[in-house]
Amino acid sequence: MSLAAVPDVPPQLRTFLAFDYGLKRTGVAVGNRLLRTATPQPTIRAEGAAARMAQVEARVREWQPDALVVGVPLHPDGASHENTARAQKFARQLRGRLGLPVYEVDERYSTTEALAEGRGADADAGAACIILEQFLRSLP
């Protein structure tokens, strides 16, 4: 799937939970299609896939989203790097474990933008908001 364009997202998918994946910290945001805004949630601080996934599953149970959004980092020129593959693996794990649609979004500069907008109290959650809002604005 190309990260340049959001695939067709069925209109019945209204509530989304977004993740700014990291090895030690994963930012989280929740938002909906109607308002096209995102609200930061406490960042997941967990090392290791099992600990991270347990916290992700708890957030999904709490928010009951219709779908998930994962930010995928790329170099400024659009090339992949080591963290690109990690974020895509995380997205695949979410699809397999949770049975929800998962959309991957180009997240270049999301942390920089979050800091510039004063969302620096929790830059990871701020970046997850940027990722989710970008995704929501792209929907028809």
Side-chain angles (χ1 to χ4, degrees):
M1 170 176 68
S2 167
L3 298 178
V6 175
D8 289 331
V9 179
Q12 67 269 23
L13 301 182
R14 294 191 179 115
T15 304
F16 300 86
L17 197 59
F19 300 97
D20 178 34
Y21 174 82
L23 289 175
K24 295 182 180 181
R25 295 180 319 276
T26 298
V28 183
V30 64
N32 69 64
R33 192 177 199 141
L34 178 64
L35 298 177
R36 296 182 193 262
T37 59
T39 304
Q41 299 302 306
T43 290
I44 293 171
R45 287 173 170 73
E47 293 186 45
R52 183 181 311 102
M53 191 58 71
Q55 290 189 44
V56 167
E57 289 172 342
R59 300 294 176 88
V60 169
R61 281 191 304 275
E62 177 183 357
W63 287 101
Q64 299 289 308
D66 297 313
L68 307 174
V69 176
V70 174
V72 177
L74 299 166
H75 283 296
D77 66 359
S80 298
H81 54 79
E82 192 173 321
N83 287 334
T84 306
R86 288 183 180 130
Q88 289 172 324
K89 179 180 179 182
F90 176 65
R92 285 191 307 273
Q93 290 171 334
L94 293 176
R95 279 184 199 98
R97 295 264 313 247
L98 302 173
L100 291 169
V102 178
Y103 298 96
E104 296 176 14
V105 175
D106 179 351
E107 65 119 327
R108 279 179 278 185
Y109 307 115
S110 61
T111 302
T112 303
E113 189 175 335
L115 292 170
E117 290 181 3
R119 301 184 194 200
D122 184 341
D124 300 301
C129 284
I130 299 291
I131 292 163
L132 184 51
E133 288 169 355
Q134 174 186 328
F135 172 81
L136 293 168
R137 283 192 306 265
S138 72
L139 300 178

